[in-house]
Structures are given as C-alpha cells and as structure tokens.
Amino acid sequence: MNPEKDFAPLTPNIVRALNDKLYEKRKVAALEIEKLVREFVAQNNTVQIKHVIQTLSQEFALSQHPHSRKGGLIGLAACSIALGKDSGLYLKELIEPVLTCFNDADSRLRYYACEALYNIVKVARGAVLPHFNVLFDGLSKLAADPDPNVKSGSELLDRLLKDIVTESNRFDLVGFIPLLRERIYSNNQYARQFIISWILVLESVPDINLLDYLPEILDGLFQILGDNGKEIRKMCEVVLGEFLKEIKKNPSSVKFAEMANILVIHCQTTDDLIQLTAMCWMREFIQLAGRVMLPYSSGILTAVLPCLAYDDRKKSIKEVANVCNQSLMKLVTPEDDEPDELKPVVLRQAEPNPDDSLVKQEGTVSGGPSGSCDSSFSSGISVFTPARGSGLTARRMNGLWTLRSAGTQLSAIGVIFSYTSQACAGKGKGSTERAPVTLHLDGIVQVLNCHLSDTAIGMMTRIAILKWLYHLYIKTPRKMFRHTDSLFPILLQTLSDESDEVILKDLEVLAEIASSPAGQTDDPGPLDGPDLQVRHSELQVPPTGRAGLMNTPGTKGLECSPSTPTMNSYFYKFMINLLKRFSSERKLLEVRGAFIIRQLCLLLNAENIFHSMADILLQEEDLKFASTMVHTLNTILLTSTELFQLRNQLKDLRTLESQNLFCCLYRSWCHNPVTTVSLCFLTQNYRHAYDLIQKFGDLEVTVDFLTEVDKLVQLIECPIFTYLRLQLLDVKNNPYLIKALYGLLMLLPQSSAFQLLSHRLQCVPNPELLQTEDSLKAAPKSQKADAPSIDYAELLQHFEKVQKKHLEVRHQRSGRGDHLDRRVVL
C-alpha cells in the first residue's frame, strides 16, 4: 500500500493501525473509525460516510495485503455499528467486500470476514433481507469450510440470520426458491445439513408457505435422505415428516400432480429409507388426491409392483406398497370405460371449503402422524445456537461484537424452536370443478404386460398383476379388449407358472376374457398357426325351443344352455390356444392339465368347456396327443366333483341338449377306444358299449391299451359307477351291460384287474339269464341305447374310421423306425 496516498477522512494513524499485523492495534483503529462515522451520522454527512466505506472496501478489504484485508473487514464492521439503524442505507457497499473475503485462501481471514458480517447483520437486522440470497450463498459455502473455526463462526452467523427471518414478515420466498433449488443438490454433508436446517426454519414460520414450492425441492430432499450421515438423514426425515403432516392438513393446496413422478423415481431406489419414505408419500398422495393420480398409474405400478415380492427384510416397504397398489386399483371405476369426450366434469376431490380451513386452523394443531412413514416426531426441531460452555462465544467489546474461538474442537448446543404448521387461509381454489381425469390404459397394460413377461419377477407381484388385469377387464372391458390380442400369449404362457395361486388368478383373467360381453365380435380374430385353422363343428347346445337334433349348426361356442353364461368370440380361440399349449408342452398337460381344466369348469361352464374341446380335438392332426387329451378329459369327467352336474346331464339322454353333448364328445372320444367305452358306460349306452368292445378284436392290442382297460375296471369299482353296479342286479333289463363287462374281462390277461372284475361278475344273480333272444320285440325300458334321435350305427362307423387312422399313423411311425412296437401276443 502506498503510504503517501491520501485516505482522508481516515487519519494516517488509523490507516497505519489498520495495516498492522496485530489484532489489538486493528481493533483500536476500528474503534476510531466507529467514532469518526458517528460524527458523520450526527452531521448527516452521507458523502463522507460513503467515502469511508468505499475506502475501507477498495483500499483495505479488497487489498492484496492480508493484514490490510483484515483491517478493512474490522473497519467495515465498525462502520455498521456506528451507523446503527441507518446501516440499511449502505448494506450493499458493506456486504459485498466482506462476502468476497469468504473465498480467501487464508482461513483466518475467512474467519474475520465471518466475524465482520455477523456485526453488520446484527446491527441491520431485517434490513438485510433484500440481500438474503447473497448472504445465504456465502453462508452455504462456509458451512462446508474445512477449518473448524470458520465453520463454527458461520454457524453463529447462520443462527442470527435465522432469527431475523423468523421474526420478519418481509422474507422474499419467491426469490429464494431458485437458489434453494440449486443448492439442495450439494453432495457435501455440511452443506446438506445447512440446507436442511434452513428448510426447517422456513417451514416453521407461519407467514411462509413453503408447501407451495415443495415440488421444486422435493427431489433434492430425497437425495439428501440418502446421505451417509445418520444425523443428516434424521434431520431430512424430520423435514419430510413435517411436510407430509402439512399435506394431510391442507390437501387442497398441494400440487400432487407435480410431485407424482418425483415419488415414482424414488420409490425405485435401492436405499431402503428413501424407498420406504417415498412409498409412504405415494400412499398418502393416492389416498388424498384420489383420481388426480390416475394419469400417473403406469409409473406408480412400475415402482410398486416389484416391492410386493419383497421378503421379511423389507416387510415395511412391502406392506406400504401393497396399500398403494390396492388404493390405486380402487380409483379405476366403470366411468373410465366411457369415451373421454363423454365423461362429465366431476367435483374436485379433496377440495375443502376455505371457511372450513379457517375453522381448522383456529383449533388445536394435532394433525396426523408426522413421520415420513407415519412415525411420530416431536413438535420441535434442532438448530444451533451459541451457549455458555461452548467453544465459540459472541462478546460485546466497546460496541463491537467479536467472535472468539476457544480451540479447534468447537461444539454447538442445540435449542428447540417451537414448530407450528399453519396454512394460509383461503388457499383452496374458488372453483369446485376440475377437468375430468383420464385413465391412460395403454401405459398401464404395457407395464403389466412387461412385468408379467419377466420370469424373474416374484410370485406376489405376478398375482398382483393378474388381479390388476382382472380388475381392468371388470371395470373397463371395452377398452381392455383392445389389448387382449397382445395380452393373450403371455396369459397362456403364465399357465406354466410354478405357483397354483398364480395359475388360478391367470385362469380368472382368461375366463373373464372368454365370457365378457365386451369381447363379442363377428370375427374372433386369427388363430395361432395354420395347424389350428379348424372348421367349427360348433358347440352342439341349441337354445331352448329350437327344433332339430344332432346337426343343428352352432355359433363358435356362443350358444349355450339357458342356465349358463354366454361365451364370447374369444372363448373358442382360448380353447384352441389352450389345447395347442398342452400339445406343445406335454409336461404342462401331465402336471397341471387336470387342475387347469377343472378350474375352468368352475369359472366358466363345464358343458361348454368339454363341448368346445371335443369339437377342436375332432380336427387334431396329432393323433397321439388327441388320444392323450381325450383320456385326460375323460378322467376329469368321471372323477372330478366339479363335473357332477355334467355327469348327471349325460346319464339321462332324454333331452336334446344331452344327446347333442354325448354325440359331440363321442366323436372325439373315439381317439381312445377305452375312453369311448367308459363314456358309453357313463351315459348308460350299454348295448353300444358291447358293440364297441366287439370291435376291439380288430384293434392293435398294446400294453398301453390293456393298461387303460385295467384303469377302467378300477373306475367301475369307484363310487362314480355305483348306479352301474346296482344295475347288475337287474339282469333281465341290462343284458348288454353284463355282456360288455364280460367283454372287458375277456380282453384282460390274468391280472389283478381280471380277478377284480371276475369276482364282481360272479356276484351277478341268475347267470343263466344272460342268454338273450334276438327276437325280442321291445327293448327294456331302462335301455337308453334305442333312443330314436341317435344314429348309433353312424357313430360305430365313425369309431372304426378313427381307429383305422390311428393304426395307419402307428404303422407309418414304425416304418420310420421311431415307434416302439409294444403289441402283446395273447
């Protein structure tokens, strides 16, 4: 510094002392400056005051010499003290050079800058608020200062500034939010702690409604919640809890839509605390905002569905996610199936009367649980303040406030600020109407389809997806059927799932698709593969009162008996694709085939299930599969409790419906000779059963064939054929039953089944009456074989034709060397 330069009105002694390396001499100079400025204030000499401040700023505080900068800082603080309440007129000139020194490389100088600014702010009080952003910016940097003295000094200044903001009603929140939004993404733990403490303070001020600007900072808050420091995480958790409590009390003023995607993102994080907190917020948003959240359903489901498969280690997240899922599902209503342009304008949800808000605010503030996951917090928040016994103290020395450090390890004592969350009266919007909310079904279905296709997804998630699909088909069937063709393959694939519960839910969805009136179309759509381009011999279940017997044309399974629901165009397609899947995945048929068919018989109509499958199998080119499938269907028909009503219907062939069903089943059952006989036993067509067994002599008798005969004998001994065994007592009226059973006995080798059936036939009374005369003019009354509406000769010809085809196929395979000849020589 040039010693000959004129620094008037500062005297040479003041200038010399300000440049001294000793703090005590600089302090003496500061006291002289304070005295000088007071005289100028008394004289109202603003020119000289500005000149002093400018000199201290330019020639000292911004000097290249470190001691000069220290002198300039203490001199500016002295000016502020001397100006008193008039310091507000010169704050810009006083603050800017001090803030510049915040960036100084010398930690001691940064400390003195903090001390100087403390004195300036202490005097100016509320007048510093127009400069709050620059002060906050500077403090946020000092909060992360590596020097503990500087950081502690900044904390004391920070508390002073918080007191001023709390006391004032002139804080410019709008101007501050952009800076807060920028600083909140700092990765420094001290800077984060500084940000969180300020948000807590601003939230506690009744005249500051930070909730309006929550969308601006919510993402940053969740970022801070993932900090490694426990104290910071806890502070952030408290902040989010207070915000959530405020949201619950004032849902009408909350910008739910603007924060929905932020929550979706953080609900998918790997940090347990962030995920749980975000999921709790999502739960409250869905319950408070209602249908406002529907447009974000696809994102919400993307975040929520994987959480449903969590184990007990993340039980809390799983439980909250389940509530979110259930609450969101309830928002979908039948009105969402209407075209958007036809939807009426609905009342705004969660929009209380402004007068009601005033009444609530006048009462005791209790609210709901304040934690980010409904955990309770105390009504106070912790911030830092100097206290007796701490290393850092604030002391008045001849009008000059100084900060003194007692050592490098400085501590701060927390005090409790009372927290009262109040909303501004009348924040609710005046209108009670809002635009209708649209359900974006395309996005939801895409998410559900994607998750269901993921083989790594958990069982509970798959069940939830299927519940969603079923719910959507119930509530919005017309819109959902636009997506059925894309969903159909994955729904069929899900039938191979390892979980029975998943398969049950999957079948419910498929059954709803197959039976919903919304799925009715003129064309059921293309079938999968050229091998399934079958001609429809139709479901032979004519409606009541329609004339005609066997050959009445059907309508692809659309017609059914009056007591059963109407199947739509997808029903037949479903049956075709199900059989195709059984054909391509034999293990599925073996392990789950019976289970799937039995459940479908409960969900849909057993008659239509069997009718359609028999119709399709009639055209099956893979004869081995057709025989296996017929055997499976026959076993289900004879043994399952779900098929009790259908069995009773087939026992009595006096109605047109039952005759139609029998003929349809018979034609496909011909793929398996033994099952055909069992069908005749079930329907009490004993004479035709005897005629069929007579034809067995022309068939190729294999081990598999004899095994099936053995199983049929075992079935005859089961409760399902109790009526048949009782009919053996009436030898006169059931001669062909006895002859048919003897025919089976003659087919069997000397095995346990042979002994079982032989012993049964020995119980038949009056065996001499087995001889019948062909000249009998009338058939026995109980003999159903002579029913005039069924052409049994034609059925027998069909049986021979089908068996001939099976024989040709077996011989072809044998010729290729890929068939093991399992014939048995009797």
Side-chain angles (χ1 to χ4, degrees):
M1 180 176 292
N2 187 358
E4 298 180 356
K5 189 173 182 179
D6 184 16
F7 294 98
L10 298 181
T11 64
N13 290 335
I14 294 177
V15 173
R16 188 166 45 253
L18 287 177
N19 286 297
D20 200 279
K21 64 179 181 179
L22 295 177
Y23 173 77
E24 295 300 329
K25 291 186 178 181
R26 294 197 302 271
K27 185 174 66 173
V28 171
L31 294 174
E32 290 297 323
I33 292 173
E34 180 182 350
K35 181 179 179 181
L36 181 64
V37 173
R38 288 185 188 277
E39 293 176 358
F40 291 148
V41 171
Q43 298 169 5
N44 198 23
N45 192 343
T46 59
V47 175
Q48 288 290 54
I49 294 173
K50 288 183 179 180
H51 189 56
V52 171
I53 295 174
Q54 185 177 8
T55 300
L56 291 171
S57 174
Q58 299 297 326
E59 302 298 334
F60 290 90
L62 302 179
S63 172
Q64 297 298 320
H65 195 278
H67 297 314
S68 297
R69 292 200 295 274
K70 294 174 183 177
L73 289 171
I74 197 170
L76 289 172
C79 288
S80 177
I81 293 172
L83 288 168
K85 62 180 182 181
D86 293 332
S87 62
L89 301 174
Y90 309 94
L91 277 178
K92 187 175 186 298
E93 293 81 2
L94 291 169
I95 290 175
E96 286 184 353
V98 177
L99 290 175
T100 302
C101 293
F102 276 10
N103 300 317
D104 200 281
D106 186 352
S107 62
R108 292 297 297 171
L109 205 143
R110 295 196 303 273
Y111 177 82
Y112 285 127
C114 189
E115 182 183 67
L117 189 57
Y118 180 89
N119 283 284
I120 295 171
V121 173
K122 182 73 174 179
V123 173
R125 302 298 293 182
V128 302
L129 289 179
H131 308 277
F132 178 80
N133 279 8
V134 294
L135 295 175
F136 182 88
D137 183 55
L139 277 174
S140 65
K141 297 174 183 177
L142 290 186
D145 198 282
D147 187 274
N149 290 338
V150 176
K151 188 166 62 174
S152 298
S154 69
E155 289 174 357
L156 188 58
L157 175 59
D158 177 55
R159 284 191 288 273
L160 173 61
L161 199 57
K162 286 174 180 173
D163 289 340
I164 294 172
V165 170
T166 305
E167 297 167 359
S168 175
N169 58 1
R170 295 182 297 163
F171 181 74
D172 183 13
L173 183 62
V174 176
F176 172 64
I177 288 298
L179 179 60
L180 179 61
R181 183 177 60 239
E182 176 187 348
R183 289 288 186 268
I184 203 170
Y185 287 104
S186 173
N187 291 324
N188 184 278
Q189 60 175 339
Y190 297 107
R192 285 180 164 182
Q193 194 171 20
F194 173 79
I195 293 292
I196 289 295
S197 66
W198 266 104
I199 293 175
L200 277 168
V201 170
L202 294 176
E203 178 65 9
S204 68
V205 179
D207 293 331
I208 297 178
N209 188 8
L210 199 57
L211 193 62
D212 286 344
Y213 302 94
L214 184 57
E216 305 282 337
I217 61 174
L218 184 62
D219 179 61
L221 286 173
F222 275 104
Q223 296 281 355
I224 295 176
L225 189 62
D227 193 271
N228 293 327
K230 289 185 177 181
E231 184 179 354
I232 296 176
R233 288 166 72 97
K234 185 61 178 179
M235 288 179 64
C236 189
E237 197 174 357
V238 171
V239 169
L240 288 169
E242 296 297 340
F243 273 124
L244 190 58
K245 183 166 66 174
E246 187 74 12
I247 287 171
K248 292 178 182 178
K249 291 193 296 181
N250 302 277
S252 61
S253 61
V254 178
K255 300 174 182 177
F256 291 105
E258 296 182 22
M259 294 183 282
N261 285 330
I262 297 174
L263 296 182
V264 167
I265 292 172
H266 291 288
C267 281
Q268 300 176 69
T269 186
T270 56
D271 186 286
D272 288 354
L273 179 59
I274 296 177
Q275 189 177 28
L276 176 60
T277 306
M279 199 68 71
C280 290
W281 275 62
M282 184 68 76
R283 176 192 61 196
E284 299 301 331
F285 272 35
I286 295 173
Q287 294 176 352
L288 293 173
R291 290 179 59 84
V292 172
M293 300 297 289
L294 272 183
Y296 306 93
S297 298
S298 57
I300 296 172
L301 288 175
T302 300
V304 167
L305 289 174
C307 300
L308 301 178
Y310 284 171
D311 54 23
D312 288 341
R313 290 174 296 178
K314 295 186 176 182
K315 184 178 180 181
S316 299
I317 300 175
K318 178 180 179 180
E319 291 175 350
V320 179
N322 185 56
V323 175
C324 289
N325 183 59
Q326 296 295 330
S327 299
L328 186 64
M329 188 179 293
K330 292 177 182 178
L331 298 181
V332 181
T333 61
E335 73 177 37
D336 291 308
D337 204 28
E338 301 173 1
D340 296 335
E341 60 272 11
L342 299 180
K343 289 183 180 179
V345 175
V346 295
L347 291 179
R348 180 181 176 88
Q349 295 187 11
E351 188 77 292
N353 190 311
D355 295 335
D356 295 337
S357 298
L358 287 172
V359 172
K360 290 181 181 179
Q361 291 169 19
E362 291 172 358
T364 302
V365 180
S366 58
S370 60
S372 60
C373 191
D374 284 352
S375 59
S376 300
F377 295 96
S378 64
S379 59
I381 52 177
S382 296
V383 295
F384 297 103
T385 187
R388 181 177 302 173
S390 65
L392 187 67
T393 60
R395 175 179 315 174
R396 173 80 175 185
M397 297 175 58
N398 297 322
L400 182 67
W401 284 85
T402 61
L403 306 183
R404 304 303 295 161
S405 174
T408 57
Q409 299 297 326
L410 304 177
S411 62
I413 307 299
V415 310
I416 302 299
F417 277 81
S418 63
Y419 181 84
T420 306
S421 179
Q422 296 181 354
C424 298
K427 284 294 182 182
K429 297 180 173 44
S431 174
T432 59
E433 296 184 350
R434 60 173 172 83
V437 175
T438 302
L439 176 68
H440 300 297
L441 202 58
D442 294 354
I444 294 177
V445 173
Q446 184 177 0
V447 169
L448 296 175
N449 199 344
C450 180
H451 279 77
L452 193 59
S453 303
D454 185 2
T455 56
I457 207 72
M459 180 190 72
M460 297 308 298
T461 297
R462 299 172 76 81
I463 292 174
I465 293 169
L466 293 169
K467 286 182 177 179
W468 258 102
L469 290 173
Y470 182 77
H471 183 73
L472 291 174
Y473 271 109
I474 293 295
K475 298 296 183 180
T476 59
R478 289 183 294 180
K479 288 185 177 180
M480 275 301 293
F481 268 95
R482 302 172 190 170
H483 304 278
T484 298
D485 289 338
S486 64
L487 289 169
F488 214 68
I490 186 61
L491 289 172
L492 287 169
Q493 183 179 343
T494 306
L495 292 175
S496 302
D497 197 274
E498 297 179 354
S499 167
D500 286 348
E501 192 172 354
V502 171
I503 295 177
L504 282 174
K505 295 300 178 184
D506 190 39
L507 289 173
E508 287 182 10
V509 177
L510 288 167
E512 182 61 29
I513 292 174
S515 60
S516 174
Q520 183 58 56
T521 59
D522 294 333
D523 183 3
L527 303 179
D528 293 342
D531 56 328
L532 292 177
Q533 298 292 337
V534 300
R535 69 171 178 83
H536 302 297
S537 59
E538 322 311 343
L539 297 190
Q540 303 295 333
V541 190
T544 303
R546 174 178 291 185
L549 300 176
M550 286 290 301
N551 299 320
T552 304
T555 54
K556 303 177 184 177
L558 305 182
E559 297 182 17
C560 55
S561 58
S563 61
T564 62
T566 302
M567 301 296 106
N568 62 31
S569 304
Y570 281 92
F571 174 79
Y572 205 82
K573 182 178 180 180
F574 174 34
M575 293 297 105
I576 290 175
N577 282 274
L578 179 60
L579 289 175
K580 179 184 178 183
R581 188 155 188 84
F582 283 151
S583 177
S584 61
E585 194 174 342
R586 297 298 173 85
K587 186 177 180 181
L588 175 64
L589 175 61
E590 178 183 347
V591 177
R592 296 289 179 81
F595 173 73
I596 290 173
I597 294 171
R598 289 171 60 184
Q599 294 303 319
L600 283 176
C601 289
L602 289 175
L603 293 168
L604 295 171
N605 174 255
E607 180 181 347
N608 283 338
I609 296 293
F610 274 75
H611 213 312
S612 60
M613 285 190 171
D615 185 36
I616 297 167
L617 287 172
L618 192 61
Q619 311 300 324
E620 178 61 52
E621 295 180 358
D622 186 346
L623 299 183
K624 184 176 181 181
F625 166 71
S627 176
T628 303
M629 193 67 220
V630 164
H631 176 75
T632 302
L633 290 172
N634 186 68
T635 302
I636 297 170
L637 176 63
L638 294 180
T639 61
S640 300
T641 57
E642 295 86 353
L643 277 299
F644 175 79
Q645 184 177 354
L646 188 61
R647 286 195 296 269
N648 283 343
Q649 182 180 345
L650 286 169
K651 286 180 184 179
D652 183 8
L653 295 183
R654 298 185 185 278
T655 64
L656 299 180
E657 290 82 0
S658 60
Q659 292 176 9
N660 245 346
L661 178 60
F662 167 72
C663 292
C664 178
L665 296 181
Y666 180 94
R667 293 177 184 278
S668 290
W669 262 231
C670 287
H671 283 297
N672 191 306
V674 179
T675 61
T676 312
V677 171
S678 66
L679 179 64
C680 291
F681 282 159
L682 176 66
T683 56
Q684 304 182 66
N685 282 298
Y686 302 135
R687 181 168 183 172
H688 191 70
Y690 171 72
D691 292 338
L692 285 174
I693 293 173
Q694 289 292 94
K695 298 293 183 181
F696 284 5
D698 301 328
L699 301 180
E700 184 179 30
V701 180
T702 64
V703 172
D704 291 338
F705 176 85
L706 292 177
T707 300
E708 291 188 14
V709 175
D710 189 294
K711 291 180 179 178
L712 177 57
V713 171
Q714 301 292 336
L715 276 175
I716 291 174
E717 295 298 321
C718 291
I720 194 70
F721 279 117
T722 300
Y723 67 93
L724 182 147
R725 298 194 300 273
L726 289 175
Q727 287 175 355
L728 291 174
L729 297 175
D730 189 0
V731 177
K732 181 179 180 181
N733 290 325
N734 295 289
Y736 288 103
L737 169 59
I738 299 174
K739 296 184 71 173
L741 293 178
Y742 268 109
L744 292 179
L745 187 65
M746 295 301 106
L747 289 172
L748 287 170
Q750 298 289 325
S751 62
S752 59
F754 177 89
Q755 298 297 332
L756 183 65
L757 183 56
S758 175
H759 182 70
R760 173 66 63 184
L761 290 173
Q762 289 175 10
C763 298
V764 176
N766 300 322
E768 66 276 5
L769 297 179
L770 292 176
Q771 299 296 326
T772 60
E773 297 180 4
D774 295 334
S775 59
L776 291 176
K777 297 182 179 179
K781 292 182 180 180
S782 62
Q783 185 71 2
K784 304 277 193 313
D786 293 336
S789 59
I790 299 178
D791 187 348
Y792 284 95
E794 189 273 336
L795 292 180
L796 198 59
Q797 291 176 4
H798 177 77
F799 174 81
E800 293 175 341
K801 180 179 178 181
V802 172
Q803 290 307 310
K804 183 179 180 181
K805 187 183 297 185
H806 275 267
L807 184 62
E808 291 174 353
V809 171
R810 283 197 294 270
H811 286 172
Q812 289 174 1
R813 290 177 179 173
S814 178
R816 293 196 303 267
D818 59 356
H819 174 68
L820 178 62
D821 190 353
R822 303 182 66 189
R823 287 175 294 175
V824 176
V825 179
L826 299 177

